[in-house]
PDB file of all heavy atoms in Angstrom:
ATOM      1  N   CYS D1239      28.267 -23.790 -27.107  1.00  0.00           N
ATOM      2  CA  CYS D1239      29.487 -23.430 -26.368  1.00  0.00           C
ATOM      3  C   CYS D1239      29.469 -22.001 -25.815  1.00  0.00           C
ATOM      4  O   CYS D1239      30.387 -21.214 -26.034  1.00  0.00           O
ATOM      5  CB  CYS D1239      30.728 -23.657 -27.229  1.00  0.00           C
ATOM      6  SG  CYS D1239      31.138 -25.407 -27.414  1.00  0.00           S
ATOM      7  N   GLY D1240      28.394 -21.679 -25.118  1.00  0.00           N
ATOM      8  CA  GLY D1240      28.316 -20.406 -24.416  1.00  0.00           C
ATOM      9  C   GLY D1240      27.749 -19.265 -25.227  1.00  0.00           C
ATOM     10  O   GLY D1240      27.466 -18.194 -24.670  1.00  0.00           O
ATOM     11  N   GLU D1241      27.553 -19.440 -26.513  1.00  0.00           N
ATOM     12  CA  GLU D1241      26.991 -18.363 -27.329  1.00  0.00           C
ATOM     13  C   GLU D1241      25.495 -18.194 -27.094  1.00  0.00           C
ATOM     14  O   GLU D1241      24.918 -17.158 -27.412  1.00  0.00           O
ATOM     15  CB  GLU D1241      27.267 -18.614 -28.808  1.00  0.00           C
ATOM     16  CG  GLU D1241      28.740 -18.582 -29.181  1.00  0.00           C
ATOM     17  CD  GLU D1241      28.939 -18.682 -30.680  1.00  0.00           C
ATOM     18  OE1 GLU D1241      28.418 -17.807 -31.403  1.00  0.00           O
ATOM     19  OE2 GLU D1241      29.605 -19.630 -31.118  1.00  0.00           O
ATOM     20  N   CYS D1242      24.853 -19.230 -26.577  1.00  0.00           N
ATOM     21  CA  CYS D1242      23.414 -19.195 -26.331  1.00  0.00           C
ATOM     22  C   CYS D1242      23.068 -20.254 -25.306  1.00  0.00           C
ATOM     23  O   CYS D1242      23.560 -21.386 -25.387  1.00  0.00           O
ATOM     24  CB  CYS D1242      22.652 -19.439 -27.643  1.00  0.00           C
ATOM     25  SG  CYS D1242      20.867 -19.462 -27.476  1.00  0.00           S
ATOM     26  N   ASP D1243      22.242 -19.904 -24.328  1.00  0.00           N
ATOM     27  CA  ASP D1243      21.809 -20.863 -23.301  1.00  0.00           C
ATOM     28  C   ASP D1243      20.452 -21.476 -23.593  1.00  0.00           C
ATOM     29  O   ASP D1243      20.052 -22.449 -22.946  1.00  0.00           O
ATOM     30  CB  ASP D1243      21.749 -20.181 -21.936  1.00  0.00           C
ATOM     31  CG  ASP D1243      23.129 -20.017 -21.314  1.00  0.00           C
ATOM     32  OD1 ASP D1243      24.070 -20.709 -21.754  1.00  0.00           O
ATOM     33  OD2 ASP D1243      23.257 -19.184 -20.399  1.00  0.00           O
ATOM     34  N   THR D1244      19.695 -20.896 -24.524  1.00  0.00           N
ATOM     35  CA  THR D1244      18.347 -21.388 -24.828  1.00  0.00           C
ATOM     36  C   THR D1244      18.185 -21.512 -26.341  1.00  0.00           C
ATOM     37  O   THR D1244      17.364 -20.814 -26.949  1.00  0.00           O
ATOM     38  CB  THR D1244      17.279 -20.448 -24.253  1.00  0.00           C
ATOM     39  OG1 THR D1244      17.585 -19.094 -24.645  1.00  0.00           O
ATOM     40  CG2 THR D1244      17.226 -20.532 -22.745  1.00  0.00           C
ATOM     41  N   PRO D1245      18.945 -22.398 -26.970  1.00  0.00           N
ATOM     42  CA  PRO D1245      18.910 -22.485 -28.435  1.00  0.00           C
ATOM     43  C   PRO D1245      17.824 -23.405 -28.958  1.00  0.00           C
ATOM     44  O   PRO D1245      17.427 -24.379 -28.305  1.00  0.00           O
ATOM     45  CB  PRO D1245      20.290 -23.064 -28.762  1.00  0.00           C
ATOM     46  CG  PRO D1245      20.572 -23.971 -27.593  1.00  0.00           C
ATOM     47  CD  PRO D1245      19.989 -23.263 -26.387  1.00  0.00           C
ATOM     48  N   TYR D1246      17.354 -23.091 -30.150  1.00  0.00           N
ATOM     49  CA  TYR D1246      16.710 -24.071 -30.994  1.00  0.00           C
ATOM     50  C   TYR D1246      17.822 -24.808 -31.743  1.00  0.00           C
ATOM     51  O   TYR D1246      18.758 -24.179 -32.259  1.00  0.00           O
ATOM     52  CB  TYR D1246      15.807 -23.404 -32.026  1.00  0.00           C
ATOM     53  CG  TYR D1246      14.452 -22.969 -31.546  1.00  0.00           C
ATOM     54  CD1 TYR D1246      13.784 -21.920 -32.181  1.00  0.00           C
ATOM     55  CD2 TYR D1246      13.806 -23.600 -30.493  1.00  0.00           C
ATOM     56  CE1 TYR D1246      12.530 -21.508 -31.780  1.00  0.00           C
ATOM     57  CE2 TYR D1246      12.549 -23.199 -30.079  1.00  0.00           C
ATOM     58  CZ  TYR D1246      11.911 -22.147 -30.724  1.00  0.00           C
ATOM     59  OH  TYR D1246      10.663 -21.742 -30.327  1.00  0.00           O
ATOM     60  N   ILE D1247      17.716 -26.122 -31.847  1.00  0.00           N
ATOM     61  CA  ILE D1247      18.638 -26.921 -32.641  1.00  0.00           C
ATOM     62  C   ILE D1247      17.810 -27.722 -33.639  1.00  0.00           C
ATOM     63  O   ILE D1247      16.807 -28.321 -33.261  1.00  0.00           O
ATOM     64  CB  ILE D1247      19.477 -27.859 -31.750  1.00  0.00           C
ATOM     65  CG1 ILE D1247      20.383 -27.025 -30.825  1.00  0.00           C
ATOM     66  CG2 ILE D1247      20.311 -28.813 -32.591  1.00  0.00           C
ATOM     67  CD1 ILE D1247      21.186 -27.849 -29.847  1.00  0.00           C
ATOM     68  N   ARG D1248      18.222 -27.712 -34.896  1.00  0.00           N
ATOM     69  CA  ARG D1248      17.441 -28.400 -35.929  1.00  0.00           C
ATOM     70  C   ARG D1248      18.347 -29.061 -36.951  1.00  0.00           C
ATOM     71  O   ARG D1248      19.519 -28.688 -37.110  1.00  0.00           O
ATOM     72  CB  ARG D1248      16.477 -27.440 -36.639  1.00  0.00           C
ATOM     73  CG  ARG D1248      17.150 -26.534 -37.647  1.00  0.00           C
ATOM     74  CD  ARG D1248      16.170 -25.583 -38.311  1.00  0.00           C
ATOM     75  NE  ARG D1248      15.057 -26.243 -38.980  1.00  0.00           N
ATOM     76  CZ  ARG D1248      15.086 -26.741 -40.207  1.00  0.00           C
ATOM     77  NH1 ARG D1248      16.203 -26.677 -40.917  1.00  0.00           N
ATOM     78  NH2 ARG D1248      14.015 -27.299 -40.744  1.00  0.00           N
ATOM     79  N   GLY D1249      17.774 -30.057 -37.653  1.00  0.00           N
ATOM     80  CA  GLY D1249      18.449 -30.691 -38.771  1.00  0.00           C
ATOM     81  C   GLY D1249      17.455 -31.546 -39.534  1.00  0.00           C
ATOM     82  O   GLY D1249      16.482 -32.057 -38.957  1.00  0.00           O
ATOM     83  N   GLU D1250      17.683 -31.706 -40.827  1.00  0.00           N
ATOM     84  CA  GLU D1250      16.794 -32.495 -41.660  1.00  0.00           C
ATOM     85  C   GLU D1250      17.497 -33.772 -42.118  1.00  0.00           C
ATOM     86  O   GLU D1250      18.712 -33.783 -42.327  1.00  0.00           O
ATOM     87  CB  GLU D1250      16.326 -31.676 -42.858  1.00  0.00           C
ATOM     88  CG  GLU D1250      15.504 -30.454 -42.454  1.00  0.00           C
ATOM     89  CD  GLU D1250      14.920 -29.702 -43.649  1.00  0.00           C
ATOM     90  OE1 GLU D1250      14.907 -30.275 -44.768  1.00  0.00           O
ATOM     91  OE2 GLU D1250      14.480 -28.549 -43.461  1.00  0.00           O
TER      92      GLU D1250
END
Side-chain angles (χ1 to χ4, degrees):
C1239 286
E1241 295 186 59
C1242 178
D1243 282 342
T1244 50
Y1246 280 154
I1247 295 176
R1248 77 181 303 276
E1250 297 185 15

